[in-house]
Amino acid sequence: MSLTDDPYLQPILFGLFLSMYLVTVLGNLLIILAVSSDSHLHTPMYFFLSILSFVDICFISTTAPKMIVDIQTQNGVISYVGCLTQMSLYAIFVCMDDMILTVMAYDRFVAICHPLHYQVIMNPRLCGFFTLLSFLLSLFDSQLHNLMILQITSFKDVKIPSFFCDPSQLLNLSCSDTSSDNIVRYFLAAVYGLFPISGIIFSYYKIISSILRIPSAGRKYKAFSTCGSHLAVVCLFFGTAFGVYLSSSVSHSPRKGAVASVMYTVVTPMLNPFIYSLRNRDIKNALRRFHGRIFSS
């Protein structure tokens, strides 16, 4: 389903989403290059930030290019295999975003609440394990969605009320008994939604409690500034996801739900590099040094 049927808005939407996609890819790519090229940023916090940037590039690349082509050609058709592929990749990268943000919250918890043991706890082996575990859990979620979708037999010549193959919209196409699918969906919502949010809330509860016990106002600000960017990204990610869920529950207009999904799938990955580059002094300095090396050579 297209975002609008107005032919006069099509060129505007094409230019807007193409610009947003290019800005997202360039912004996240700059963060990856800045972290990898600057030895000062070879820490667990920035390692996970570079992973998050890579995941955001992949996340937006699963939906935005197809949507941009559809706007330009005014053809919203996708093949069966293409739809399953898009849905699988979407499920993997949205879960990876979720998992990495949770791991980053744990990293900030260890850094602020156990600073003397930070290097020992957050060693390279554990960072690699967390990254691999995040990917495997995301892959498991994607495969479960695939198994549920493959049970739908009448899956040709159907209209999907979204601008991409949203797993939740595809599951609603089933005409058979969906009680078992609903149980799996609730299970996945608990594992990939409730548990990560609970972990993030607990981490920040301990972080705020530790910061409040610091006597110096300057040290309080410095401690909170190290996790301010992450907290902003967490609020943006889960806030837009919750907004999409509410809009789909309250509004019965599929197009309004599709517009709300744009915030979640396109706007959030675009804003993440801006939040980190504007609020984080280390990233800004690394980008300046990277810029200087590029133009000096």
Side-chain angles (χ1 to χ4, degrees), residues 26-294:
L26 180 62
N28 284 290
L29 193 60
L30 281 174
I31 286 185
I32 294 171
L33 292 173
V35 171
S36 60
S37 63
D38 197 316
S39 59
H40 297 92
L41 301 184
H42 291 174
T43 63
M45 173 183 172
Y46 294 109
F47 168 75
F48 290 122
L49 175 59
S50 62
I51 296 293
L52 180 68
S53 295
F54 173 75
V55 171
D56 279 339
I57 292 174
C58 298
F59 180 32
I60 194 173
S61 296
T62 61
T63 57
K66 180 69 171 70
M67 176 179 63
I68 293 167
V69 171
D70 288 347
I71 292 172
Q72 179 64 16
T73 60
Q74 297 186 8
N75 178 24
V77 177
I78 188 169
S79 67
Y80 178 75
V81 174
C83 188
L84 288 179
T85 303
Q86 187 183 59
M87 184 208 67
S88 300
L89 292 175
Y90 170 83
I92 287 173
F93 293 121
V94 75
C95 284
M96 276 287 287
D97 247 337
D98 187 11
M99 296 292 113
I100 294 298
L101 286 173
T102 306
V103 171
M104 291 174 76
Y106 175 74
D107 172 74
R108 292 298 83 207
F109 159 72
V110 176
I112 293 174
C113 299
H114 305 283
L116 298 179
H117 302 95
Y118 178 69
Q119 295 295 336
V120 177
I121 296 174
M122 297 303 296
N123 57 74
R125 182 178 297 179
L126 184 64
C127 293
F129 171 75
F130 278 149
T131 305
L132 179 62
L133 181 64
S134 299
F135 173 72
L136 292 177
L137 287 173
S138 303
L139 186 63
F140 177 69
D141 172 73
S142 173
Q143 293 307 306
L144 282 180
H145 276 97
N146 267 336
L147 289 173
M148 290 189 290
I149 295 299
L150 289 172
Q151 293 176 5
I152 303 175
T153 54
S154 56
F155 199 54
K156 291 184 178 180
D157 300 324
V158 295
K159 292 182 179 180
I160 302 171
S162 182
F163 64 91
F164 71 102
C165 292
D166 189 338
S168 61
Q169 297 293 346
L170 293 177
L171 289 171
N172 291 334
L173 297 174
S174 177
C175 299
S176 58
D177 181 30
T178 58
S179 56
S180 60
D181 286 349
N182 287 334
I183 293 172
V184 176
R185 289 167 73 176
Y186 294 143
F187 169 76
L188 293 177
V191 172
Y192 295 96
L194 185 61
F195 289 163
I197 291 174
S198 300
I200 291 171
I201 291 173
F202 175 78
S203 295
Y204 273 101
Y205 166 73
K206 301 296 286 185
I207 287 170
I208 293 171
S209 299
S210 297
I211 290 175
L212 291 177
R213 288 197 294 268
I214 299 175
S216 170
R219 289 177 61 196
K220 281 183 181 178
Y221 174 78
K222 184 178 179 181
F224 188 74
S225 65
T226 62
C227 54
S229 299
H230 174 259
L231 188 59
V233 170
V234 166
C235 293
L236 181 66
F237 180 80
F238 287 104
T240 52
F242 189 62
V244 170
Y245 173 77
L246 282 182
S247 65
S248 61
S249 301
V250 175
S251 174
H252 297 287
S253 170
R255 182 155 280 119
K256 288 182 179 179
V259 172
S261 296
V262 170
M263 288 293 297
Y264 182 59
T265 57
V266 179
V267 177
T268 299
M270 183 187 70
L271 292 180
N272 285 356
F274 288 101
I275 292 172
Y276 273 100
S277 60
L278 291 176
R279 291 184 56 89
N280 193 297
R281 187 179 301 173
D282 292 335
I283 290 291
K284 285 191 283 189
N285 292 336
L287 287 172
R288 289 193 193 100
R289 288 192 289 268
F290 180 73
H291 179 270
R293 282 196 296 270
I294 292 294

Side-chain angles (χ1 to χ4, degrees), residues 3-24:
L3 294 175
T4 178
D5 293 326
D6 190 341
Y8 296 103
L9 287 178
Q10 299 289 346
I12 298 173
L13 290 177
F14 174 79
L16 176 65
F17 287 118
L18 179 60
S19 302
M20 293 171 72
Y21 176 67
L22 293 176
V23 167
T24 303

